[in-house]
Amino acid sequence: IYYSRIYIYTLNPLIHYSYTHYIHSVTISYCSNKKSISGNNCVGGILGYATYVDEISAFENTADITGNNYVGGYAGQTTTRTLIQLVENNNKITGKAYVGGIAGSTGSLKGCINNGTIISSGVLVEGSTPVACVGGIAGYATSIENCTNNSDISVATGGQFVGGIVGKLQASKGSNFKNCSNNGDISSNSSYVGGIAGYVKASDTSSSNWILQIDNNENLGIIVSLSGNYVGGIAGYIKD
């Protein structure tokens, strides 16, 4: 684990006291988890929750992970600044909402593989919306490329946003949605279900000159949503 903190002191000459500012940067790599982990919220094979992690890479998780909300094979929840790349999950991930083979909720993902079954057994109500946010790679992310899911996804309740790769993709300028493959079957009872992404939304409405390219994605899994709307082979719903 690499961690750096830079202290910057500034003096206010008018009222004669100083401020201390912190710049944090954390990179986590070459770690492994080989024992099962169970918890409530923010549960991950390597990391439960983090705000200042810039990159997670070269990990190994070979144990089952179980929790309620924000559950992932490597990270339960991080901020959107985090990049997770070149990691592989081979075990079962079980939770309710924001559940993914690699991360429950994070920023960008590159070159990640999930081989473990994903199971969602409940929902998280946000406002009046029952949310599952479940994906083979991540429940929620801002950018995703070169990722593969090889295992089945089961969502037992009516929680929305289920995808073979990502449940909900909140894209902005610079985001990617390309070169991903889903080989697992998806069984759901909800709306916004896709072979690659359940729901894709553009969050950067201040810029009118950017394009989100949805390119070279492939779904080879059977998708069943018994009572849901907005179900697609690549994306269930795309909103600008």
Side-chain angles (χ1 to χ4, degrees):
I1 299 176
Y2 174 77
Y3 173 78
S4 67
R5 173 181 288 181
I6 302 172
Y7 299 88
I8 303 174
Y9 298 94
T10 59
L11 181 65
N12 188 324
L14 297 180
I15 52 179
H16 305 291
Y17 65 85
S18 64
Y19 298 94
T20 303
H21 307 278
Y22 301 100
I23 299 174
H24 301 264
S25 178
V26 180
T27 299
I28 307 174
S29 58
Y30 298 103
C31 298
S32 65
N33 172 60
K34 298 182 180 180
K35 295 293 184 179
S36 62
I37 297 176
S38 299
N40 186 15
N41 298 322
C42 296
V43 183
I46 302 296
L47 184 66
Y49 176 84
T51 56
Y52 292 109
V53 173
D54 291 318
E55 183 178 336
I56 300 172
S57 63
F59 277 105
E60 178 187 14
N61 176 55
T62 57
D64 294 345
I65 309 297
T66 303
N68 284 322
N69 303 316
Y70 299 98
V71 183
Y74 291 85
Q77 183 182 18
T78 76
T79 58
T80 56
R81 68 185 279 172
T82 302
L83 165 65
I84 302 178
Q85 62 179 345
L86 304 177
V87 299
E88 182 173 341
N89 175 61
N90 295 305
N91 285 70
K92 183 170 66 175
I93 310 298
T94 304
K96 291 183 178 180
Y98 293 94
V99 181
I102 304 300
S105 178
T106 191
S108 302
L109 297 110
K110 295 181 180 180
C112 300
I113 300 172
N114 175 60
N115 300 313
T117 302
I118 309 297
I119 300 174
S120 169
S121 59
V123 299
L124 178 65
V125 178
E126 296 181 346
S128 59
T129 303
V131 172
C133 265
V134 176
I137 300 297
Y140 175 99
T142 58
S143 181
I144 194 158
E145 59 183 299
N146 301 319
C147 293
T148 302
N149 174 55
N150 294 317
S151 198
D152 294 344
I153 298 170
S154 175
V155 179
T157 60
Q160 298 180 2
F161 314 126
V162 181
I165 298 296
V166 59
K168 185 175 183 179
L169 182 72
Q170 192 84 22
S172 60
K173 190 173 183 178
S175 293
N176 290 308
F177 182 21
K178 62 183 182 180
N179 303 329
C180 293
S181 177
N182 174 55
N183 302 307
D185 294 341
I186 300 173
S187 175
S188 174
N189 196 23
S190 62
S191 297
Y192 304 104
V193 181
I196 302 297
Y199 186 89
V200 180
K201 186 178 187 303
S203 60
D204 188 359
T205 57
S206 61
S207 177
S208 59
N209 59 351
W210 69 282
I211 298 173
L212 174 65
Q213 290 188 328
I214 302 175
D215 184 41
N216 197 33
N217 298 295
E218 181 180 44
N219 173 57
L220 297 174
I222 298 171
I223 303 171
V224 177
S225 185
L226 297 177
S227 59
N229 300 314
Y230 311 116
V231 182
I234 299 297
Y237 193 98
I238 300 175
K239 180 178 176 59
D240 58 12

